[in-house]
Amino acid sequence: MIKVSVVGAKGRMGSHVVDAVNGAADTQLALALDAGDDLTAITPDNTDVVVEFTVPSVSLDNVLALVKQGVDVVVGTTGWTDEKLAQVKAALAEAPRENQAVFIAPNFAISAVLADHFAKVAAPYFESAEVIELHHPTKVDAPSGTAIHTAQAIGEARRAAGLGDMPDATETDGGSRGQVVDGVHVHAVRLRGLNAHEEVLFGNAGEQLTIRADSFDRISFMPGVLLAVRKVASGSFPGLTVGLDHFLDL
Amino acid sequence: MIKVSVVGAKGRMGSHVVDAVNGAADTQLALALDAGDDLTAITPDNTDVVVEFTVPSVSLDNVLALVKQGVDVVVGTTGWTDEKLAQVKAALAEAPRENQAVFIAPNFAISAVLADHFAKVAAPYFESAEVIELHHPTKVDAPSGTAIHTAQAIGEARRAAGLGDMPDATETDGGSRGQVVDGVHVHAVRLRGLNAHEEVLFGNAGEQLTIRADSFDRISFMPGVLLAVRKVASGSFPGLTVGLDHFLDL
Amino acid sequence: MIKVSVVGAKGRMGSHVVDAVNGAADTQLALALDAGDDLTAITPDNTDVVVEFTVPSVSLDNVLALVKQGVDVVVGTTGWTDEKLAQVKAALAEAPRENQAVFIAPNFAISAVLADHFAKVAAPYFESAEVIELHHPTKVDAPSGTAIHTAQAIGEARRAAGLGDMPDATETDGGSRGQVVDGVHVHAVRLRGLNAHEEVLFGNAGEQLTIRADSFDRISFMPGVLLAVRKVASGSFPGLTVGLDHFLDL
Amino acid sequence: MIKVSVVGAKGRMGSHVVDAVNGAADTQLALALDAGDDLTAITPDNTDVVVEFTVPSVSLDNVLALVKQGVDVVVGTTGWTDEKLAQVKAALAEAPRENQAVFIAPNFAISAVLADHFAKVAAPYFESAEVIELHHPTKVDAPSGTAIHTAQAIGEARRAAGLGDMPDATETDGGSRGQVVDGVHVHAVRLRGLNAHEEVLFGNAGEQLTIRADSFDRISFMPGVLLAVRKVASGSFPGLTVGLDHFLDL
């Protein structure tokens, strides 16, 4: 039984994590803390893994403190820079327990992580590739970070394979061809009723390959969170790991 | 049996029309003419309906001549302006036969014409609507004329229904949100392997309606051409008619 | 301002109706009743329209009582038979107010109602048509009532248009071709993460038309409920009306 | 420059292979033979790789003869049994040249091969998975061999990951749930206008992953054929290889 504490337990994501930890057969809830609660209550005695879902402004401090307290941490908060990651690595180097682990994921949706990976694998074999992301209309940035990441992965894979530019005879366009990220056209749709969706289209003469990931609800992140908790608790991933793809058998 | 002559019979579309006329049970091929052939060979004696698929630079002259010769014409050539249409109307007013007809269609694909119509009908009932068109990468213009027409139809239907702007909180965008046509975001994808495709997305809280028309091959225009030939030959559509939707039971 | 009372206000649908009535600019909540509450509290003085979302075993009695009390009723409960509908009609014939109205809808999702209508309109123009419905895996019946209804509408439209059987050379099949409803193959997918979805596919040589309705959440029924409330309150639909399509401009 | 001879050069596939070999920068056409032509004209002097696209009744004899003549063979003809493959292996063991190679592929469409592989990789991470294949209505078998293969790969991957049965509460069904292959529901759609398409759907609470491969035209097999020609000509795959996935970087 893996003892899991949740930091940010009353937040939109954290409350789902509490439910997921209570619902899984191999995890049990230790402490559920939120803003204002004392982090030092979390110790290696009561907790194997902490799941931290707060806000970028406090997440780094939380993680550094938890590392010092000798527990492993799974982080879902966004906003990590290279500089922040370096501070986490430094803290881990001086951590009290051996093989202590911190895991940070930009995206816990397994479908999205798989789609991103499949796009990278498929990219060398197609003349054309474009990315369409679709989100709820209250999203303030376009395109999504995930779509940019996917486009960059496609661009990189094409270069590595020695592919040139994609065929495109467009002469007149008022903006419909989207944003070009690393040579890949990216389109962003905003539609009431949607949540977070990405579609990657590949084409050769006479054939098309489509990979689509739909996240209808943030509950979709829970299998990824539980997977990360198990992998971190297994002791096989000491130090800092970034990205759920490291925990999938790809 | 409807006697059909084809002008532009050796062209990419015209050759399919010849096959379609030969293949249908209720039509038979009269004359198959191409560039350089004498149009005056076509008369009411040998031809009920002419199908004209040539190029914009000669189509108007062809149609005017054929109207004078007393035959009905179904036109698939593009590039029609209000001025050109007015000339056709004037010619029809002095046509030798009573109830002579000219039919011009920007699009003979029944799926595309239905999708366009359905988009117009659905538009008043949704908060959000966007259009994605997808074509082969040798197309020189973006977005497609069909997508622009669909977006305008949606915009018009929304105004008529008193709907305001669509919800969209986008603050930062490098072009991924596409081209805005009459308040509707239009996205154009270019992918090797595709031909001509349009997808219209509508959204309300908790629901989505998607209408998609795929034309994989120009043979997809033939049912529309044959439908037009039959409707024109029926004598029920004297004068000038523009748009295949007039021949569908909508 | 339309005064709306809700019967079944604590149910899964009713609680959404309460929120929707409170949220709309032209409706206000009168009474919110649930099992055990006294229906006679609802009168023409405090209520213009009642929305009834309960269970089939009590819905008929509720509606009959409310009609006698002189209020209009919008019913979302399922399980209506011809016999039950006849009782509602009889009650309306003796209703205390002139032009009293009852509206019953098997489906309040506008996208589903539109998809069904579009399928019927498109059916005469295509050689092939099949229906795929996709639902959450806790649904006990397959295929869905909506899919059966759509298939029947397609079958009827094909017959009316004089179309024969669809092309299908299948000789060996272990069940993959699905259930045939009125000549139309219907396929049912059950997938964790989905809610209620229907896709109708039409095909001719070289072209495809796809109509898809997605209901991600029962909140998707609220625009349809509010539309029904407004139409009923307008006084333009006296008597019994069944089906949201009567309130759409189709 | 790879010298390529084509056996079955006038067939539907073979004629595309001739065009593809002529069109690629690194291949040139040696001999183009068809039924009745003398296979012994093909020698290591004039040919590096033979592409064989004929019919099952003659393919084995062709391949055995070509192996004896000392040339590498890429085979697109279907109908290979374990017994036939054993005969090819035996012939290769006594082949005149060292490292001689025969490559046989059930499917040369790169998108289909990738989709199959991705389905296998994704399968362990989802509660639900179903397969929909869609084909032209002149296909005599349902479901397609590719869909059966994909379903088996999913079933095998689920067992290896220790997953149990998929959630499915269906109690009443008249056949709409499709054919169950290794625990995976498989649905077959037949639609005029389609060619060969496969869609694999995976679902978890709140999320869906969709992988779709579309083959619109048999020209879609040519990139796979050219890839196989290059890999075989490279000398890195001596002996018998079955399946295009061996030549992709997966």
Side-chain angles (χ1 to χ4, degrees):
Chain A
M1 208 64 154
I2 309 169
K3 293 173 285 181
V4 180
S5 288
V6 180
V7 173
K10 293 181 180 166
R12 292 184 307 177
M13 288 299 304
S15 57
H16 280 295
V17 175
V18 167
D19 291 347
V21 167
N22 280 326
D26 59 344
T27 57
Q28 66 179 33
L29 188 67
L31 300 174
L33 306 185
D34 211 87
D37 291 334
D38 184 5
L39 276 193
T40 61
I42 298 176
T43 68
D45 284 344
N46 58 32
T47 298
D48 297 315
V49 181
V50 178
V51 178
E52 203 271 1
F53 263 109
T54 60
V55 290
S57 58
V58 305
S59 184
L60 175 62
D61 286 347
N62 285 348
V63 173
L64 295 179
L66 291 164
V67 169
K68 267 193 193 163
Q69 287 162 228
V71 290
D72 292 341
V73 194
V74 166
V75 186
T77 313
T78 56
W80 292 88
T81 59
D82 286 349
E83 196 190 342
K84 288 183 176 183
L85 294 176
Q87 292 188 58
V88 174
K89 272 187 203 166
L92 279 165
E94 302 181 1
R97 277 198 309 113
E98 214 177 341
N99 289 336
Q100 240 180 270
V102 170
F103 172 72
I104 300 177
N107 198 332
F108 276 101
I110 286 176
S111 58
V113 174
L114 286 173
D116 196 73
H117 172 72
F118 293 158
K120 197 168 55 184
V121 172
Y125 302 105
F126 291 91
E127 277 189 70
S128 302
E130 302 208 1
V131 177
I132 303 173
E133 58 93 328
L134 311 94
H135 280 84
H136 55 85
T138 54
K139 185 172 176 61
V140 295
D141 58 315
S144 68
T146 303
I148 291 174
H149 186 270
T150 302
Q152 289 171 336
I154 292 170
E156 200 174 321
R158 288 177 63 93
R159 273 194 306 280
L163 297 183
D165 290 345
M166 297 180 201
D168 186 356
T170 309
E171 288 172 9
T172 62
D173 174 30
S176 66
R177 291 285 290 119
Q179 181 172 337
V180 183
V181 175
D182 210 352
V184 180
H185 288 255
V186 177
H187 311 270
V189 172
R190 295 293 172 262
L191 209 73
R192 181 75 78 209
L194 294 186
N195 182 34
H197 316 256
E198 186 183 56
E199 192 165 311
V200 188
L201 310 176
F202 292 103
N204 279 330
E207 72 172 338
Q208 185 180 355
L209 176 71
T210 306
I211 299 163
R212 180 175 175 126
D214 293 281
S215 168
F216 303 117
D217 191 292
R218 61 177 67 91
I219 203 175
S220 65
F221 301 132
M222 293 309 114
V225 169
L226 289 177
L227 176 66
V229 164
R230 287 169 190 134
K231 291 288 184 178
V232 161
S234 74
S236 307
F237 295 88
L240 175 65
T241 305
V242 178
L244 197 65
D245 50 320
H246 294 283
F247 293 161
L248 301 177
D249 194 17
L250 302 178
Chain B
M1 209 65 155
I2 309 169
K3 292 172 286 179
V4 181
S5 289
V6 180
V7 173
K10 293 181 179 165
R12 293 184 307 179
M13 288 299 303
S15 57
H16 281 294
V17 174
V18 167
D19 290 348
V21 167
N22 280 326
D26 59 343
T27 57
Q28 66 178 35
L29 187 67
L31 300 174
L33 306 186
D34 211 87
D37 291 335
D38 184 7
L39 276 192
T40 61
I42 298 176
T43 69
D45 283 342
N46 58 33
T47 298
D48 297 314
V49 181
V50 177
V51 179
E52 203 271 1
F53 264 108
T54 60
V55 290
S57 58
V58 305
S59 185
L60 175 62
D61 285 347
N62 285 347
V63 173
L64 295 179
L66 291 163
V67 169
K68 267 193 194 162
Q69 289 162 228
V71 291
D72 293 340
V73 193
V74 166
V75 186
T77 313
T78 57
W80 292 88
T81 60
D82 286 350
E83 196 190 342
K84 287 181 175 183
L85 295 175
Q87 292 188 57
V88 174
K89 272 186 202 165
L92 280 164
E94 303 181 0
R97 277 197 310 113
E98 214 177 339
N99 290 335
Q100 241 180 269
V102 169
F103 171 72
I104 299 177
N107 198 332
F108 275 101
I110 286 176
S111 57
V113 174
L114 287 172
D116 197 72
H117 172 72
F118 293 159
K120 196 168 55 184
V121 172
Y125 302 106
F126 292 90
E127 278 189 69
S128 303
E130 303 208 359
V131 177
I132 303 172
E133 58 93 327
L134 311 94
H135 281 84
H136 55 87
T138 54
K139 186 172 175 61
V140 295
D141 58 316
S144 67
T146 303
I148 291 174
H149 187 268
T150 301
Q152 288 170 336
I154 293 170
E156 199 175 321
R158 289 178 63 93
R159 273 194 305 280
L163 297 182
D165 290 345
M166 299 180 199
D168 186 356
T170 309
E171 288 172 8
T172 61
D173 174 31
S176 66
R177 291 285 289 118
Q179 179 172 339
V180 183
V181 176
D182 210 351
V184 180
H185 289 255
V186 177
H187 311 270
V189 173
R190 295 293 172 264
L191 209 72
R192 180 75 77 207
L194 295 185
N195 182 34
H197 316 257
E198 186 183 54
E199 193 165 309
V200 188
L201 309 176
F202 291 103
N204 279 331
E207 73 172 337
Q208 185 179 358
L209 176 70
T210 306
I211 299 163
R212 179 174 174 126
D214 294 282
S215 168
F216 304 116
D217 191 292
R218 63 177 66 92
I219 203 175
S220 65
F221 300 133
M222 293 309 113
V225 169
L226 289 177
L227 177 66
V229 164
R230 288 170 188 132
K231 292 288 185 177
V232 161
S234 75
S236 307
F237 296 87
L240 175 65
T241 305
V242 178
L244 198 64
D245 50 318
H246 295 283
F247 292 160
L248 301 177
D249 194 16
L250 303 178
Chain C
M1 208 66 154
I2 309 169
K3 292 172 284 181
V4 181
S5 288
V6 180
V7 173
K10 293 181 179 165
R12 292 184 307 178
M13 288 299 304
S15 57
H16 279 296
V17 174
V18 168
D19 291 347
V21 167
N22 280 326
D26 59 343
T27 57
Q28 66 179 33
L29 188 66
L31 299 174
L33 306 184
D34 210 87
D37 291 335
D38 184 6
L39 275 194
T40 62
I42 299 177
T43 69
D45 283 344
N46 58 31
T47 299
D48 297 316
V49 181
V50 177
V51 178
E52 204 270 2
F53 263 109
T54 61
V55 291
S57 59
V58 306
S59 185
L60 175 62
D61 286 346
N62 285 348
V63 173
L64 295 178
L66 290 164
V67 169
K68 267 194 192 161
Q69 287 163 228
V71 291
D72 292 341
V73 194
V74 166
V75 186
T77 313
T78 57
W80 291 88
T81 60
D82 286 349
E83 196 190 342
K84 288 183 176 183
L85 294 175
Q87 291 187 60
V88 174
K89 271 186 202 166
L92 280 165
E94 302 180 1
R97 276 198 309 114
E98 214 176 342
N99 290 336
Q100 242 180 268
V102 170
F103 172 72
I104 299 177
N107 198 331
F108 276 102
I110 287 176
S111 58
V113 175
L114 287 172
D116 197 72
H117 172 73
F118 293 158
K120 196 168 56 185
V121 173
Y125 302 106
F126 291 91
E127 277 189 71
S128 303
E130 302 207 1
V131 176
I132 304 172
E133 57 93 328
L134 311 94
H135 280 85
H136 55 85
T138 55
K139 185 172 177 61
V140 295
D141 57 316
S144 68
T146 303
I148 291 173
H149 186 269
T150 301
Q152 289 170 336
I154 292 170
E156 198 174 320
R158 288 178 64 94
R159 273 194 305 280
L163 296 182
D165 290 344
M166 298 181 200
D168 186 356
T170 309
E171 289 172 9
T172 61
D173 175 30
S176 66
R177 290 286 288 120
Q179 180 171 339
V180 182
V181 176
D182 209 353
V184 180
H185 288 255
V186 177
H187 311 270
V189 173
R190 296 293 171 263
L191 210 73
R192 181 75 79 208
L194 294 186
N195 183 34
H197 315 257
E198 186 183 55
E199 192 164 310
V200 188
L201 309 177
F202 292 104
N204 279 331
E207 72 172 337
Q208 186 180 356
L209 176 70
T210 307
I211 299 164
R212 179 173 175 127
D214 294 281
S215 168
F216 304 116
D217 191 292
R218 63 177 66 91
I219 204 175
S220 65
F221 301 131
M222 294 309 114
V225 170
L226 290 176
L227 176 66
V229 165
R230 288 170 188 132
K231 292 288 184 178
V232 161
S234 75
S236 307
F237 296 88
L240 176 64
T241 305
V242 178
L244 198 64
D245 49 320
H246 295 282
F247 292 161
L248 300 177
D249 195 17
L250 300 178
Chain D
M1 208 66 156
I2 309 170
K3 291 172 286 181
V4 181
S5 288
V6 180
V7 173
K10 292 180 179 166
R12 292 184 308 180
M13 289 298 303
S15 57
H16 280 295
V17 174
V18 167
D19 290 347
V21 167
N22 280 326
D26 59 344
T27 57
Q28 65 179 35
L29 187 67
L31 300 175
L33 305 186
D34 211 86
D37 290 335
D38 184 7
L39 276 192
T40 61
I42 299 176
T43 68
D45 283 344
N46 58 33
T47 298
D48 296 315
V49 181
V50 177
V51 178
E52 203 271 1
F53 264 109
T54 60
V55 290
S57 58
V58 306
S59 187
L60 175 63
D61 286 345
N62 285 348
V63 173
L64 296 179
L66 291 164
V67 169
K68 268 192 193 161
Q69 289 163 228
V71 290
D72 293 340
V73 193
V74 166
V75 186
T77 312
T78 57
W80 291 89
T81 59
D82 286 349
E83 196 189 342
K84 287 182 177 185
L85 295 175
Q87 292 188 58
V88 174
K89 272 187 202 165
L92 280 164
E94 303 180 0
R97 277 198 308 114
E98 215 178 340
N99 290 337
Q100 241 181 269
V102 170
F103 172 73
I104 299 177
N107 198 331
F108 276 101
I110 287 177
S111 58
V113 174
L114 286 172
D116 196 73
H117 172 71
F118 294 158
K120 196 168 56 184
V121 172
Y125 302 106
F126 291 91
E127 278 190 70
S128 303
E130 302 207 0
V131 176
I132 304 171
E133 57 93 329
L134 312 94
H135 281 84
H136 55 87
T138 55
K139 185 172 176 60
V140 294
D141 57 315
S144 67
T146 304
I148 292 174
H149 186 269
T150 301
Q152 289 171 335
I154 293 170
E156 198 175 323
R158 288 178 63 94
R159 274 194 305 280
L163 297 182
D165 289 346
M166 299 181 199
D168 186 356
T170 309
E171 289 172 8
T172 61
D173 175 30
S176 66
R177 293 284 289 117
Q179 180 172 340
V180 183
V181 176
D182 209 352
V184 180
H185 289 254
V186 177
H187 311 269
V189 173
R190 295 292 172 265
L191 210 72
R192 181 75 77 208
L194 294 185
N195 183 33
H197 315 256
E198 187 184 53
E199 192 164 310
V200 188
L201 309 177
F202 293 103
N204 279 329
E207 72 173 337
Q208 186 180 356
L209 176 70
T210 306
I211 299 164
R212 180 175 174 125
D214 295 281
S215 168
F216 305 117
D217 191 293
R218 63 177 65 93
I219 203 175
S220 65
F221 301 133
M222 294 308 114
V225 170
L226 290 176
L227 176 66
V229 164
R230 287 169 189 133
K231 292 288 185 178
V232 161
S234 74
S236 308
F237 296 88
L240 175 65
T241 305
V242 178
L244 199 64
D245 50 318
H246 294 284
F247 293 161
L248 300 177
D249 195 15
L250 302 178

